[in-house]
């Protein structure tokens, strides 16, 4: 029989640490007591079948490992080791791949079965497992009578596979011996590479971490063998010479090859990449003009994390320095697709669960700078660094409920809706707003959904209008707190209050009192509804960007006329107007603020040069599809996601006050209208 991979690893731990207890094995491998017992039974069976001394387990959960067994499995560089350890199925598949990547002769099934000491059928199964392992590398195992078993694909992908296979095998029991044996590299070759790397560290003041310095000599030695055998990189589009040739690691590659080995510039750059991706400490290998930009992107990501997690990092500069030490080599791993599986970080600690999804949502500045997505394994590493800093600083990040905002009504409306809900529910963590189509393809964990339209979801769904009054916010908060958190909050009912007042007094202006009550109770919400941004409403809508007309022929004529002041200023282009007409073929409730103000708009890339808003007042009104009329059209032009939101919130508040909208409609001119807008600058 052959031990499975889990049983193999448990056996190795028992031999290397005989004093370990059953409960410690459970904890180390994240297994149940039953799973450990099952593996232990297989270990005993395998030891007996191979005539080895067996291991016993006491009632107290301790293991008794015979000294003879420890001696037999002692790690020695002789060839008898292979008879003492039977690799698992996955390990055998990795060893087969290593043979294909390093062998100078044609490989047959006999080579594999002989090397692994397995049957032909077992070797055939192992080859199928190996094919599954390489599916993500765009490689294929093929067989021919002339060339035997071989890997077909680009050399770049074979190099990626080689590095990952070495990384995997190095962690296996007696990994160095197996790599030397199956890759046919000698101890002398490895020692020579180690000597060269020591020289590199000394001359260039580089320092490689211990784990990588053990593996790196094997990577370099085997790469040189492939190059000398004619397996060279023939394409250059994925490596930018200028980005690497001025680094210390390029100098290091030259030192490693100073024996006069003749290899191409591309191969020297590839070896440079291996040094760059080796987690180097205390080094400044990025070009001088790139380091400040990378640092700034990382700093912006940390600031975004602080905002989303509602905390301030203690000793943030120290954390930034640690992240930069990590990101310096990670930059090249990510940029050139050389990220490997961090087996030691496969499971993010329970303490970091709250950190992990906030980190993922905070790395946008870093991704934009690098112009590529950051792989999950790299995000996990960053999570551990940030999470460790948070814990060591005595901070805690509560695992908040996660909310998704879904809005089908355009970027500005969805952002306004998201902003309103974020302010209303500081107890929730919000992802950015998604469109309906994005939501249908969403691949993130969440607990509840806010949307103005019904959606297919098994999570808690709250139907909420895109624009809600302060009183509706209070009602929504009461529903969410009760249904999500189980907290019953007193319902604020202005009608009940007014009815009580009317028993003892006369109300001369009921709408005014109702508004006053709603405004008062909205102040009782747990956080402010507004956050100061760059622009006020009266700053973006001025008398010069207002137009008054008695009537208008059509809705599209209204868009064109309302946009004219922004066109004249150069804030938008003609294309922006055409996009708005295309997106909004008719005036519908989807773009109305409190049924009073229409806000047609496009995206920044549709033709926005700088931020602006313009207002059209139509005295006779514009007919809506439900038969009512709207008197105001405000065209919004924004260059980013945030700077217009404060002005938009103020416009929304104005649209919710009927009395002030009547004042706007009956004002004498644009200057009087602007004075009313200024009342909402707060």
């Amino acid at each position: 029989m052959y031990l499975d991979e889990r049983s193999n690893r448990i056996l190795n731990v028992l031999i290397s640490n005989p004093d370990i207890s059953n409960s410690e094995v459970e904890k180390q491998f994240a297994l149940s007591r039953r799973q450990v017992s099952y593996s232990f039974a297989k270990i005993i069976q395998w030891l007996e079948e191979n005539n080895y001394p067996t291991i016993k387990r006491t009632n107290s959960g301790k293991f008794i490992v015979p000294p003879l067994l420890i001696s037999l499995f002692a790690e020695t560089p002789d060839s008898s080791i292979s008879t003492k350890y039977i690799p698992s199925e996955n390990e055998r598949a990795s060893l087969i791949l290593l043979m294909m990547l390093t062998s100078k002769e044609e490989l047959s099934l006999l080579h594999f079965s002989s090397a692994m000491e397995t049957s032909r059928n077992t070797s055939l199964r192992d080859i199928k497992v190996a094919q599954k392992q390489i599916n993500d590398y765009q490689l294929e195992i093929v067989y021919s009578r002339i060339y035997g078993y071989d890997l077909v694909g680009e050399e770049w992908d074979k190099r990626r596979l080689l590095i990952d296979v070495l990384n995997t095998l190095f962690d296996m029991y007696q990994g160095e011996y197996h790599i030397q044996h199956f890759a046919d590299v000698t101890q002398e070759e490895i020692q020579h590479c180690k000597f060269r790397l020591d020289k590199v560290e000394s001359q260039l003041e580089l320092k490689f971490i211990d784990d990588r310095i053990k593996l790196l000599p094997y990577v370099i030695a085997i790469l040189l063998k492939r190059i000398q055998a004619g397996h060279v990189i023939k394409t250059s589009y994925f490596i930018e010479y200028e980005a690497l040739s001025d680094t210390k690691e390029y100098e290091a590659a030259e030192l490693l090859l100073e024996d006069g080995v003749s290899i191409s510039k591309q191969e020297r750059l590839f070896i440079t990449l291996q040094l760059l991706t080796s987690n180097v400490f205390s080094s400044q290998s990025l070009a001088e003009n790139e380091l400040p930009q990378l640092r700034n992107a990382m700093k912006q990501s940390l600031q975004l994390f602080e905002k989303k997690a509602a905390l301030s990092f203690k000793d943030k500069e120290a954390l930034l320095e640690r992240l930069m030490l990590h990101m310096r080599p990670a930059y090249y791993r990510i940029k050139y697709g050389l990220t490997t599986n961090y087996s030691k970080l496969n499971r993010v600690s329970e303490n970091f669960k709250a950190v992990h999804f906030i980190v993922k949502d905070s790395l946008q500045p870093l991704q934009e700078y690098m112009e590529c997505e950051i792989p999950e394994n790299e995000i996990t590493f960053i999570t551990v660094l940030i999470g460790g800093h948070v814990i060591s600083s005595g901070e805690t990040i509560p695992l908040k409920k996660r909310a998704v905002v879904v809005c089908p009504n355009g970027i500005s409306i969805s952002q306004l809706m998201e902003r309103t809900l974020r302010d209303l529910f500081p107890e929730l963590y919000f992802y950015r707003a998604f469109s309906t189509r994005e939501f249908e393809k969403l691949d993130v964990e969440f607990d509840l959904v806010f949307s103005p339209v019904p959606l297919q979801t098994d999570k808690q769904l709250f139907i909420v209008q895109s624009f809600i009054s302060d009183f509706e916010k209070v009602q929504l908060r009461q529903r969410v707190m009760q249904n999500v958190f189980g907290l019953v909050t007193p319902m604020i009912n202005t009608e009940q209050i007014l009815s009580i007042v009317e028993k003892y007094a006369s109300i001369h202006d009921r709408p005014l009192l109702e508004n006053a009550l709603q405004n008062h109770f909205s102040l009782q919400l747990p956080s402010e509804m507004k956050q100061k941004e760059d622009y006020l409403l009266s700053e973006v809508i001025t008398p010069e960007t207002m137009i008054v007309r008695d009537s208008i022929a059509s809705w599209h004529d209204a868009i064109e006329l309302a946009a004219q002041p922004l066109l004249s200023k150069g804030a938008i282009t003609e294309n922006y107007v055409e996009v708005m007409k295309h997106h909004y073929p008719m005036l519908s409730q989807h773009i109305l603020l409190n049924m009073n103000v229409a806000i047609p708009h496009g995206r920044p890339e549709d033709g926005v040069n700088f931020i602006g808003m313009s207002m059209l007042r139509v005295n006779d009104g514009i007919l809506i599809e439900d038969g009512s009329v709207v008197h105001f059209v405000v065209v919004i032009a924004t260059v980013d996601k945030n700077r217009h939101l404060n002005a938009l919130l103020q416009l929304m508040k104005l649209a919710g006050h009927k009395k002030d909208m009547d004042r706007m409609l009956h004002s004498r001119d644009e200057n009087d209208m602007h004075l009313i807008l200024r009342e909402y600058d707060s």
Side-chain angles (χ1 to χ4, degrees):
M1 66 169 288
Y2 294 100
L3 283 180
D4 59 85
E5 191 165 352
R6 184 176 76 194
S7 300
N8 252 325
R9 294 190 180 279
I10 292 176
L11 175 59
N12 295 333
V13 168
L14 295 179
I15 290 171
S16 61
N17 183 13
D19 294 328
I20 196 169
S21 67
N22 196 85
S23 60
E24 288 170 332
V25 172
E26 292 171 16
K27 185 176 181 181
Q28 180 170 334
F29 290 92
L31 299 174
S32 66
R33 180 175 299 181
R34 184 178 177 181
Q35 288 172 316
V36 172
S37 295
Y38 176 78
S39 289
F40 184 68
K42 295 191 72 173
I43 290 169
I44 296 303
Q45 184 182 354
W46 181 82
L47 289 172
E48 290 175 346
E49 287 183 3
N50 288 276
N51 297 316
Y52 288 123
T54 59
I55 301 172
K56 295 182 179 180
R57 183 168 54 177
T58 67
N59 292 334
S60 62
K62 292 289 186 179
F63 297 95
I64 302 174
V65 184
L68 179 58
L69 186 64
I70 297 173
S71 176
L72 287 171
F73 276 80
E75 188 167 354
T76 57
D78 60 59
S79 60
S80 65
I81 286 178
S82 60
T83 65
K84 299 186 181 71
Y85 177 75
I86 304 296
S88 67
E89 183 180 69
N90 282 326
E91 289 170 340
R92 292 196 304 272
S94 295
L95 289 169
I96 285 173
L97 292 172
L98 181 62
M99 290 176 69
M100 291 183 185
L101 288 162
T102 58
S103 178
K104 296 178 181 178
E105 60 181 339
E106 293 76 22
L107 295 171
S108 67
L109 202 58
L110 181 60
H111 285 87
F112 300 138
S113 60
S114 175
M116 308 292 170
E117 298 182 6
T118 58
S119 68
R120 292 168 61 89
N121 286 337
T122 299
S123 292
L124 283 171
R125 289 196 299 271
D126 292 343
I127 290 171
K128 290 181 180 179
V129 174
Q131 180 60 60
K132 288 181 180 178
Q133 289 183 359
I134 65 174
N135 285 340
D136 292 337
Y137 296 85
Q138 291 79 50
L139 297 172
E140 183 181 1
I141 298 173
V142 298
Y143 174 77
S144 69
R145 289 181 177 273
I146 300 176
Y147 300 108
Y149 285 93
D150 195 15
L151 283 168
V152 174
E154 294 291 335
E155 178 64 18
W156 174 264
D157 295 319
K158 293 179 185 178
R159 300 283 180 91
R160 288 174 52 225
L161 175 63
L162 172 63
I163 294 163
D164 283 350
V165 164
L166 289 174
N167 215 30
T168 298
L169 293 176
F170 205 85
D171 286 338
M172 103 186 236
Y173 184 65
Q174 299 164 337
E176 288 190 68
Y177 162 77
H178 285 94
I179 292 173
Q180 289 181 36
H181 178 68
F182 285 88
D184 193 25
V185 289
T186 66
Q187 187 66 28
E188 289 73 23
E189 288 174 310
I190 299 304
Q191 289 301 327
H192 180 72
C193 285
K194 287 182 178 178
F195 171 77
R196 292 289 188 196
L197 286 168
D198 288 342
K199 189 175 180 180
V200 164
E201 284 188 315
S202 174
Q203 290 193 18
L204 298 182
E205 297 180 352
L206 297 175
K207 184 172 176 57
F208 302 101
I209 64 172
D210 293 340
D211 284 350
R212 190 63 178 177
I213 198 64
K214 291 178 181 177
L215 178 62
L216 202 53
Y218 291 92
V219 173
I220 301 300
I222 295 173
L223 279 178
L224 291 175
K225 279 183 174 290
R226 280 194 68 81
I227 294 168
Q228 290 165 0
H231 303 299
V232 296
I233 296 174
K234 296 179 180 178
T235 52
S236 59
Y237 61 90
F238 40 73
I239 300 179
E240 301 166 17
Y241 176 82
E242 293 77 11
L244 304 184
S245 60
D246 62 347
T247 65
K248 285 187 175 182
E249 282 74 12
Y250 187 79
E251 293 181 56
E254 295 296 302
L255 285 174
L256 284 172
L257 303 170
E258 70 178 13
D259 285 341
V261 179
S262 178
I263 64 173
S264 68
K265 178 179 72 176
Q266 290 303 324
E267 296 294 358
R268 290 171 185 268
L269 288 177
F270 188 86
I271 292 175
T272 302
L273 279 172
Q274 304 319 306
L275 301 177
L276 280 163
T277 60
S278 295
N279 286 339
V280 181
F281 288 143
S282 305
S283 171
Q284 300 287 315
S285 62
L286 280 168
E288 288 302 316
N289 64 324
E290 289 181 333
L291 272 172
Q293 297 173 39
L294 178 61
R295 183 185 180 86
N296 186 54
M298 194 71 250
K299 186 175 182 180
Q300 289 178 24
S301 293
L302 284 181
Q303 290 170 343
L304 197 54
F305 181 94
E306 287 180 305
K307 182 178 179 181
K308 291 177 181 293
L311 60 77
S312 295
F313 286 118
K314 296 177 182 177
D315 202 3
K316 184 158 65 174
E317 281 301 312
L319 172 60
L320 185 57
E321 286 303 318
R322 281 195 290 274
L323 286 167
M324 284 300 295
L325 283 172
H326 169 73
M327 283 307 302
R328 189 208 135 284
Y331 174 90
Y332 292 96
R333 281 199 301 269
I334 298 166
K335 195 78 172 174
Y336 299 109
L338 294 169
T339 292
T340 57
N341 293 322
Y342 297 121
S343 57
K344 297 175 183 176
L345 298 176
N346 278 342
R347 296 193 322 113
V348 178
S349 165
E350 292 292 318
N351 294 326
F352 296 156
K353 274 190 175 180
V355 179
H356 190 60
F357 67 80
I358 303 178
V359 168
K360 289 180 71 171
D361 207 35
S362 302
L363 292 179
Q364 191 62 32
L366 188 61
Q367 291 188 150
E368 289 176 356
Y369 167 69
M370 298 189 70
E371 298 181 340
C372 63
E373 284 197 19
I374 299 177
E376 182 67 25
N377 286 334
E378 299 290 351
I379 295 175
T380 299
F381 212 125
I382 294 172
T383 295
V384 171
L385 290 172
I386 293 178
H389 183 86
V390 169
I391 291 174
S392 66
S393 302
E395 296 280 355
T396 57
I397 299 179
L399 185 56
K400 296 182 178 182
K401 295 283 187 180
R402 288 159 288 190
V404 169
V405 179
V406 181
C407 185
N409 300 328
I411 185 170
S412 288
I413 295 177
S414 63
Q415 287 166 2
L416 180 58
M417 183 178 173
E418 176 193 341
R419 167 78 171 276
T420 300
L421 291 170
R422 281 181 186 272
D423 290 340
L424 186 57
F425 297 106
E427 300 88 354
L428 301 177
Y429 173 80
F430 282 89
Y431 293 104
R432 66 171 179 83
F434 297 98
S435 68
T436 307
R437 284 185 299 173
E438 287 175 326
F439 176 75
E440 291 170 354
K441 301 176 182 177
L442 202 57
D443 187 25
V444 298
E445 294 184 11
F446 58 92
D447 303 295
L448 63 157
V449 187
F450 295 94
S451 171
V453 296
L455 299 167
Q456 291 291 330
T457 178
D458 58 353
K459 305 296 184 181
Q460 286 186 291
L461 173 65
F462 294 90
I463 302 296
V464 53
Q465 296 305 312
S466 303
F467 311 106
I468 55 177
S469 67
D470 287 343
F471 187 60
E472 289 170 329
K473 292 174 188 174
V474 176
Q475 291 178 311
L476 176 62
R477 179 170 173 80
Q478 194 270 348
R479 283 169 49 211
V480 172
M481 296 304 290
Q482 181 172 349
N483 293 324
V484 176
F485 297 99
L487 300 177
V488 180
T489 56
M491 188 66 188
I492 301 168
N493 192 323
T494 57
E495 287 297 326
Q496 292 177 355
I497 296 173
L498 289 171
S499 65
I500 293 172
V501 171
E502 286 178 321
K503 288 182 180 180
Y504 304 100
S506 299
I507 301 176
H508 298 289
D509 193 336
R510 186 183 178 90
L512 180 62
L513 180 56
E514 185 175 352
N515 279 339
L517 286 170
Q518 289 179 4
N519 288 337
H520 169 74
F521 287 124
S522 69
L523 295 176
Q524 310 308 311
L525 293 173
S527 63
E528 289 186 277
M529 295 302 167
K530 304 186 295 294
Q531 292 180 9
K532 182 75 172 174
E533 292 288 345
D534 290 345
Y535 293 95
L536 301 173
L537 181 61
S538 65
E539 291 175 332
V540 288
I541 300 180
T542 64
E544 292 73 29
T545 61
M546 292 179 174
I547 296 176
V548 178
R549 293 290 186 272
D550 287 332
S551 61
I552 201 77
S554 68
W555 164 238
H556 277 184
D557 286 345
I559 291 178
E560 291 179 356
L561 186 58
Q564 194 57 50
L566 297 182
L567 275 172
S568 300
K569 290 173 57 179
I572 61 174
T573 65
E574 289 284 356
N575 182 67
Y576 193 77
V577 179
E578 294 304 315
V579 167
M580 286 191 293
K581 289 162 63 178
H582 174 73
H583 284 337
Y584 310 109
M586 62 180 64
L587 177 54
S588 65
Q589 296 180 11
H590 287 156
I591 58 168
L592 289 178
L593 296 179
N594 290 85
M595 300 301 293
N596 284 324
V597 181
I599 53 168
H601 58 281
R603 296 178 178 273
E605 59 268 25
D606 294 330
V608 178
N609 296 321
F610 53 86
I611 190 172
M613 293 186 187
S614 55
M615 175 181 284
L616 168 67
R617 187 183 84 185
V618 181
N619 295 332
D620 293 341
I622 307 168
L623 192 65
I624 311 177
E625 53 190 357
D626 67 355
S628 57
V629 295
V630 172
H631 295 279
F632 294 90
V633 178
V634 174
V635 171
I636 301 171
T638 178
V639 294
D640 58 28
K641 298 179 179 181
N642 299 311
R643 281 189 286 174
H644 68 298
L645 287 182
N646 192 54
L648 191 55
L649 283 168
Q650 293 169 354
L651 179 63
M652 178 181 171
K653 188 173 181 181
L654 169 62
H657 285 77
K658 187 177 184 304
K659 184 176 180 180
D660 287 339
M661 290 305 299
D662 287 341
R663 289 170 59 203
M664 289 282 291
L665 181 60
H666 296 100
S667 295
R668 290 180 304 171
D669 54 27
E670 291 86 346
N671 289 320
D672 284 352
M673 290 166 61
H674 190 254
L675 289 174
I676 297 172
L677 296 187
R678 291 179 62 181
E679 295 175 13
Y680 286 83
D681 287 350
S682 60

